[in-house]
Amino acid sequence: MPNFTSSAIVIRRIDFGDYDLILTFFTLKRGKISAIAKSAKKSTKRFGGILELFSVLEIVCSSKMDRDLMILQEADLKNSFSGISTDLNRTAYASYFAELVNEWTEPGARQEDLYRLLRHVLEQIDAGMISGEISSILFLIRFASIAGIRPNLLKCSICRLETDKIKEERVAFDFSRSGIICRKCAGKSISRLSLSKGTIKQLLWVESGGLEKAGKIKFTPQAIKEGLDLMETFTTYHLGKEMQSLKFLKRIRKEDGPYQY
Ligand SMILES: [Zn+2]
């Protein structure tokens, strides 16, 4: 039974019988993997109660060649993100990102950029460095690039006129074409929403450059609203379904009132 060791983030945690847990980890070395933590429920001594959702761990797993499910042998806690688990709003955002990674990625496919992105946004939300809304915009736009579904924000998807050269302040975004549409071409487009060129500029800033810098960009309330609407609808469109965690997020956002930033 060869051992596998890696940094890992817990993205799913389900009870298995009376004693065990089945965990889905997003690991640095091998992307998404599933492992059973035997007796983790029965005895907190076994893993010291550290196998919580979103925790960053160093794990050691063993596997049998003929089975997809690994066996968790050891786990060492690196970050428990207590600032997330004690706050409903932060938990809702973290759940959305974890579910998205779980839904989108194939087991065993190494994706270091996505691992670093997920860990970065969790650290930022946990420390209260950025709001949930900004973390979501940052996560979703960079996730789209990594996943190979980057939206075209640079030119009209039909006539190819560059965004800077479009005269109107507002443009449409066409989901079936995965890009913006100028007003002249808008009649040829069906599935769309409207956004300002200012929002597009801010999204492009967040999409490029270092992660640290991207999280510090100041968004206007209008850009937060439009950016979130665009990226959440865009991601749902590509996934082909609205995830439970996003439905929950929208519900608590409504209860919280206007966007926080
Ligand atoms: Zn056009």
Side-chain angles (χ1 to χ4, degrees), residues 28-232:
L28 180 63
K29 292 185 184 167
R30 212 182 279 179
K32 182 172 73 175
I33 64 156
S34 295
I36 184 162
K38 290 191 169 166
S39 301
K41 274 178 69 190
K42 192 173 85 174
S43 157
T44 50
K45 271 191 211 146
R46 177 71 182 95
F47 289 103
I50 62 169
L51 305 177
E52 297 298 326
L53 208 52
F54 319 127
S55 288
V56 179
L57 309 166
E58 274 299 315
I59 56 166
V60 179
C61 293
S62 59
S63 65
K64 285 184 181 159
M65 296 303 278
D66 60 334
R67 293 191 60 186
D68 289 338
L69 190 66
M70 295 182 133
I71 300 163
L72 186 68
Q73 302 290 356
E74 290 171 41
D76 212 5
L77 183 66
K78 296 294 165 194
N79 198 335
S80 66
F81 294 135
S82 56
I84 294 177
S85 54
T86 53
D87 182 298
L88 181 66
N89 193 274
R90 292 176 183 182
T91 301
Y93 279 98
S95 302
Y96 179 41
F97 305 151
E99 192 181 354
L100 199 52
V101 169
N102 187 39
E103 284 283 337
W104 190 270
T105 57
E106 293 294 326
R110 182 176 177 138
Q111 284 188 286
E112 280 189 42
D113 286 350
L114 187 52
Y115 176 87
R116 294 212 167 84
L117 175 63
L118 179 61
R119 187 164 171 169
H120 176 80
V121 291
L122 292 176
E123 283 167 356
Q124 294 284 303
I125 311 175
D126 179 67
M129 298 296 283
I130 49 177
S131 69
E133 287 84 0
I134 304 284
S135 75
S136 197
I137 292 171
L138 172 68
F139 183 82
L140 295 178
I141 194 134
R142 287 185 171 239
F143 174 84
S145 286
I146 294 168
I149 52 167
R150 187 172 181 227
N152 159 37
L153 300 172
L154 296 172
K155 51 181 85 166
C156 171
S157 301
I158 295 179
C159 71
R160 318 307 292 171
L161 182 64
E162 288 168 23
T163 310
D164 284 348
K165 296 192 176 132
I166 295 174
K167 285 199 187 79
E168 293 81 18
E169 179 40 36
R170 297 191 73 76
V171 295
F173 187 91
D174 183 318
F175 291 99
S176 63
R177 292 173 201 268
S178 240
I180 59 157
I181 304 276
C182 74
R183 184 173 291 176
K184 207 170 74 207
C185 299
K188 298 171 193 157
S189 149
I190 323 157
S191 59
R192 57 197 160 100
L193 59 77
S194 155
L195 68 166
S196 74
K197 286 198 321 198
T199 299
I200 293 176
K201 211 174 262 179
Q202 291 188 299
L203 289 173
L204 288 169
W205 284 337
V206 171
E207 193 187 35
S208 58
L211 272 173
E212 290 290 341
K213 215 172 122 196
K216 292 196 177 92
I217 290 167
K218 290 265 178 273
F219 273 72
T220 61
Q222 184 190 24
I224 292 176
K225 188 184 178 314
E226 290 181 355
L228 272 181
D229 278 352
L230 171 69
M231 289 316 298
E232 286 174 357

